[in-house]
Amino acid sequence: MDAAARRWFDSRTFDSRNFEAGAFDVAALVRAKRCREQSVSVVIPARNEAATVGAVVRQIHQALVGPGLVDELLVVDSDSVDGTAREAEAAGATVFAAAGIPTGTEPSPGKGEALWKSLFVSRGDLIVFIDADLTEWGPHFVTGLLGPLLRDDATLLVKGFYDRLADDLPGGAQQGQPATAPQGGRVTELVARPLLNLYWPQLSAVVQPLAGEWAIRRGLMESLPVPVGYGVEFATLTDTWSRHGLDAIAQVDLGRRGHRHQNVHDLGVMAAEILATALRRLPGEPPRIAGAGQTLQQYDRQAPEGWLSRRVPTLERPAARESPHYRPFPDRSRMDP
Ligand SMILES: O=c1ccn([C@@H]2O[C@H](COP(=O)(O)OP(=O)(O)O[C@H]3O[C@H](CO)[C@@H](O)[C@H](O)[C@H]3O)[C@@H](O)[C@H]2O)c(=O)[nH]1
Ligand SMILES: O=C(O)[C@H](O)COP(=O)(O)O
């Protein structure tokens, strides 16, 4: 392993269960938050997650909003056509439709778009992103991610990591038996990790570079360009490293994580988005993405004429703080009790 990556792993990896006794405890985090005059937003991007978003919101609401750790709990509804917004609201979230958030830009579908737009409607100094499709997880995801940010001002970005459950893949849990090996994270293992090892070896010790559970200081997030699609995690990680160095990043072991798996054709589109995000960031003249590269052709016997033509979103939003629609300073008066 790259020596810098190894040193980083040894010094910047934490465990949400035993990070210095009490440091992940809700009461201790609330004290640290108040002492540092920080406010916290939890943002959950959700596209057609009616089946799971309610439980995710409810658990965070019950465990962390009441005690005062999370100041606002937002769901950004990313063009859902199911009852996502209704479920999220009933569980206690404030819901914004991504397409309705005024940013002066033409709406574009995608997860990155939802995260970028959340900056325009949230107020926290610290922002925690949590996926809406989680099936095995807990509120310690949020406390774990906040711990390093509330402990050390030099930490700007915290990535979660975990064993990724994949019950239906080889090595996954079968018939009630625990998994022999976590086999989840196909795009992570087949695309993101090889890319990082080849071109960003300093980041090769980030255990889950694509984790959808991460926390970031607003001052950093508002300064970064954001791919509208699934490139958002890869971009945030590599851009934070190139602008602020390795020690601005920390990672936290959150245990185990289960989520809804996408099929391999859908993951193909995600992989293409991550490749486009990475190619754009390679040193030197960025290779042009040909017009036709914006679609991915996938063979499918059932499709008309045998081929699916999938759009690959490669658009990136400029740093939010460059937008005249962006309010740069959180309105703390509305957040502190
Ligand atoms: O257009 C979209 C697509 C997804 N989502 C939401 O984003 C989250 C993650 O999306 P998902 O389709 O579940 O992604 P995964 O297959 O789980 O992909 C992994 O890898 C992605 C690429 O890095 C990350 O963005 C994900 O968070 C991470 O879990 C979920 O809450 C989705 O509802 C949106 O809000 N808008
Ligand atoms: O992060 C990933 O690699 C994708 O979310 C795919 O995950 P899965 O293989 O566990 O479905």
Side-chain angles (χ1 to χ4, degrees):
M1 179 182 280
D2 178 90
R6 180 75 232 185
R7 182 199 57 75
W8 175 82
F9 180 85
D10 291 340
S11 61
R12 307 290 292 149
T13 301
F14 303 103
D15 186 327
S16 64
R17 289 156 297 195
N18 61 11
F19 175 69
E20 286 180 11
F24 282 104
D25 177 82
V26 175
L29 290 174
V30 171
R31 281 196 298 279
K33 183 187 93 149
R34 294 205 170 127
C35 176
R36 289 171 188 261
E37 297 189 333
Q38 298 287 286
S39 51
V40 173
S41 303
V42 171
V43 172
I44 303 173
R47 178 175 163 80
N48 297 333
E49 307 287 10
T52 48
V53 71
V56 174
V57 168
R58 199 165 291 112
Q59 283 203 55
I60 295 174
H61 200 279
Q62 282 170 0
L64 306 175
V65 174
L69 182 59
V70 170
D71 297 285
E72 58 179 10
L73 178 50
L74 310 181
V75 166
V76 181
D77 181 8
S78 174
D79 312 310
S80 299
V81 293
D82 65 359
T84 292
R86 196 177 53 244
E87 295 292 332
E89 211 156 43
T94 304
V95 180
F96 291 91
I101 297 174
T103 53
T105 52
E106 283 299 310
S108 178
K111 179 185 175 182
E113 174 87 342
L115 300 195
W116 183 72
K117 286 194 160 183
S118 77
L119 292 172
F120 292 75
V121 292
S122 61
R123 301 188 300 270
D125 302 291
L126 309 179
I127 306 172
V128 183
F129 296 114
I130 299 285
D131 282 354
D133 65 333
L134 300 181
T135 49
E136 182 158 336
W137 72 290
H140 69 284
F141 276 33
V142 177
T143 51
L145 290 166
L146 284 171
L149 288 176
L150 286 171
R151 177 190 188 227
D152 169 22
D153 292 338
T155 301
L156 306 181
L157 169 69
V158 183
K159 292 292 295 186
F161 77 90
Y162 22 62
D163 288 344
R164 305 206 31 170
L165 311 182
D167 297 353
D168 45 356
L169 296 174
Q174 304 283 331
Q175 295 164 346
Q177 297 302 308
T180 53
Q183 291 290 325
R186 289 163 286 171
V187 179
T188 303
E189 301 304 335
L190 301 176
V191 180
R193 197 181 310 289
L195 275 171
L196 289 173
N197 277 266
L198 286 169
Y199 298 111
W200 290 268
Q202 300 87 344
L203 291 170
S204 57
V206 178
V207 180
Q208 289 294 334
L210 301 189
E213 292 71 32
W214 46 289
I216 189 166
R217 289 188 196 279
R218 173 176 294 272
L220 171 59
M221 186 71 188
E222 68 185 11
S223 75
L224 298 177
V226 175
V228 295
Y230 284 114
V232 54
E233 276 82 18
F234 196 94
T236 307
L237 181 63
T238 50
D239 290 349
T240 300
W241 170 76
S242 65
R243 293 173 185 209
H244 299 282
L246 207 45
D247 287 338
I249 303 167
Q251 65 182 350
V252 175
D253 187 350
L254 302 172
R256 287 155 60 89
R257 172 191 191 258
H259 77 138
R260 171 188 47 75
H261 299 285
Q262 300 200 54
N263 69 46
V264 80
H265 269 168
D266 290 343
L267 290 182
V269 179
M270 180 191 289
E273 293 175 49
I274 287 165
L275 279 167
T277 303
L279 291 179
R280 200 173 261 155
R281 284 164 172 75
L282 288 178
E285 192 63 27
R288 270 187 345 99
I289 296 169
Q294 310 254 351
T295 57
L296 181 64
Q297 308 306 318
Q298 296 177 327
Y299 182 67
D300 180 347
R301 281 180 204 288
Q302 316 300 328
E305 299 178 27
W307 287 91
L308 297 171
S309 184
R310 309 286 302 273
R311 200 180 73 84
V312 179
T314 56
L315 177 69
E316 297 202 6
R317 295 298 188 198
R321 70 160 63 135
E322 289 168 18
S323 165
H325 294 257
Y326 183 65
R327 285 174 313 167
F329 302 108
D331 179 1
R332 290 203 191 86
S333 60
R334 292 180 57 191
M335 302 192 67
D336 282 346

